[in-house]
Amino acid sequence: MSANSTTLNGLSTESWIVGYYSLFLTIIGTILNLFIFIVLYRAPFRNGNNRGTLYYMRTIAIFDILILYGWNLDHYLAQIYGLTLLRYSVPSCKVVTFISYFTGQVSAYLRVFICIDRYFSLSRIRRVWIHRPKNTLIIIVCIIILVLLLNLHILIFVCYRRINGSVAIGAQYYRFYPLWDYVNLGVYNCVPFILMVTFNSGIIRHLIRARQTRIIRNSRLNHRSITITLVITTSLFLIMTIPATVAFAFFIGYDKTILRLLDGIFYTYHISSFPLYMFTFHEFRQECVNILRCRKPQ
């Protein structure tokens, strides 16, 4: 069936798929990430050597929800109802644009610091300052504030009403697009790519060399299990998000079908944490089973 064929309600097949898949991601992503947040606050995860890492994981779950309510939700409204939040009003345009850039960038650097945290957990016998829960919270707050300041100009200058009453999605005083897409590519992908690959390489090397050491055996939350989970998660981040970010920065005028496909893969990543944790993180899977069976935490 071609992309131009229509469904019963007059939408093209492609528009129907893109619209309802975006809605599916929003609903399922919200449910699954909220469930992750709840599980990671269960008693077995509130203590132990990995508390700092779990702070990152909980915060990522929240930002993985928020990112789905930016351009992703706008895709659903635009394709199914013809309502584009970016052009509906100046406030909605500012909020959607800001959320889409801000949440993605925060999510990326939280994952970078997870890699750093895991690297030092495996490479140092004694805990270093980065592992202290208080310092982890300070790092998270600093990431949020710095990314907020970086994108604050969107809320101030981007999106305005033209003389004819329509909403412009750019900025009056400087060329927002494609400039900010280039900046986003560097901030959201390039720098995290370099840092994640560097620290993940060190993590894998230490996992191979230190697999049987006492520090791994005696962790209440198994270092090896949670580390492998997070290495897979950050690796998928690079694989699933870079193509879409590059495409929208440099190839925005090309085949819309390919761009929509890459965008779908991009947002699919932000609902993937739950199945990844279930398959690779034994303690998380065990707590999910306890919740479903209405068992009290051990």
Side-chain angles (χ1 to χ4, degrees):
M1 184 178 292
S2 68
N4 293 323
S5 60
T6 58
T7 60
L8 292 177
N9 54 3
L11 297 173
S12 71
T13 303
E14 182 178 312
S15 295
W16 191 91
I17 293 173
V18 170
Y20 282 105
Y21 186 65
S22 297
L23 179 62
F24 167 80
L25 291 177
T26 303
I27 296 173
I28 298 301
T30 300
I31 295 171
L32 293 183
N33 284 307
L34 276 177
F35 193 64
I36 288 173
F37 187 83
I38 293 169
V39 171
L40 293 180
Y41 256 112
R42 299 266 289 181
F45 297 104
R46 288 201 294 265
N47 299 302
N49 295 328
N50 290 309
R51 276 190 299 166
T53 303
L54 293 169
Y55 287 156
Y56 290 121
M57 295 170 71
R58 293 168 190 152
T59 310
I60 285 172
I62 296 301
F63 276 86
D64 278 352
I65 292 173
L66 294 177
I67 197 172
L68 297 172
Y69 288 85
W71 289 325
N72 177 68
L73 182 60
D74 195 43
H75 292 337
Y76 165 69
L77 296 175
Q79 297 297 326
I80 304 303
Y81 297 105
L83 171 65
T84 305
L85 292 176
L86 289 173
R87 298 190 183 276
Y88 180 73
S89 68
V90 171
S92 66
C93 178
K94 288 178 180 289
V95 170
V96 169
T97 305
F98 175 79
I99 286 177
S100 299
Y101 285 112
F102 170 71
T103 55
Q105 291 168 11
V106 170
S107 177
Y109 284 93
L110 291 172
R111 288 173 164 91
V112 166
F113 274 90
I114 275 185
C115 295
I116 296 172
D117 178 90
R118 290 294 84 201
Y119 174 78
F120 283 112
S121 292
L122 293 175
S123 63
R124 300 289 187 272
I125 295 177
R126 295 182 180 178
R127 296 176 69 193
V128 297
W129 68 272
I130 198 173
H131 297 133
R132 296 169 188 163
K134 181 180 178 181
N135 292 336
T136 300
L137 292 175
I138 292 173
I139 291 171
I140 292 172
V141 171
C142 287
I143 291 172
I144 293 173
I145 291 174
L146 290 174
V147 177
L148 173 64
L149 292 175
L150 177 66
N151 291 280
L152 188 60
H153 67 101
I154 295 174
L155 295 176
I156 300 173
F157 299 111
V158 175
C159 300
Y160 62 95
R161 194 168 292 279
R162 296 189 180 99
I163 297 176
N164 62 8
S166 63
V167 176
I169 61 175
Q172 284 183 292
Y173 306 109
Y174 56 95
R175 190 176 181 183
F176 181 70
Y177 294 110
L179 173 62
W180 206 245
D181 284 329
Y182 299 152
V183 173
N184 185 59
L185 177 61
V187 173
Y188 177 69
N189 282 126
C190 294
V191 175
F193 173 82
I194 294 170
L195 294 173
M196 286 182 189
V197 168
T198 300
F199 285 101
N200 277 350
S201 299
I203 289 169
I204 293 170
R205 180 167 56 88
H206 282 290
L207 278 175
I208 294 172
R209 295 176 59 184
R211 190 170 47 184
Q212 301 299 326
T213 59
R214 180 174 59 85
I215 189 171
I216 294 179
R217 288 199 308 268
N218 290 349
S219 293
R220 185 175 178 180
L221 285 174
N222 188 278
H223 274 275
R224 187 170 182 272
S225 174
I226 192 172
T227 300
I228 291 174
T229 297
L230 296 173
V231 167
I232 294 172
T233 300
T234 52
S235 298
L236 282 177
F237 171 81
L238 302 175
I239 295 170
M240 297 177 71
T241 64
I242 288 179
T245 311
V246 171
F248 280 93
F250 296 104
F251 306 104
I252 188 65
Y254 285 69
D255 192 320
K256 295 297 183 183
T257 300
I258 295 176
L259 291 175
R260 287 170 175 174
L261 175 62
L262 294 176
D263 208 37
I265 294 172
F266 175 95
Y267 286 108
T268 299
Y269 172 76
H270 292 282
I271 73 165
S272 66
S273 292
F274 181 80
L276 284 172
Y277 294 170
M278 284 293 290
F279 281 111
T280 63
F281 190 7
H282 172 72
E283 288 80 7
F284 181 87
R285 182 169 60 251
Q286 187 174 29
E287 282 307 305
C288 288
V289 172
N290 289 340
I291 290 175
L292 293 175
R293 294 181 177 180
C294 301
R295 291 180 180 175
K296 292 184 178 179
Q298 299 296 320

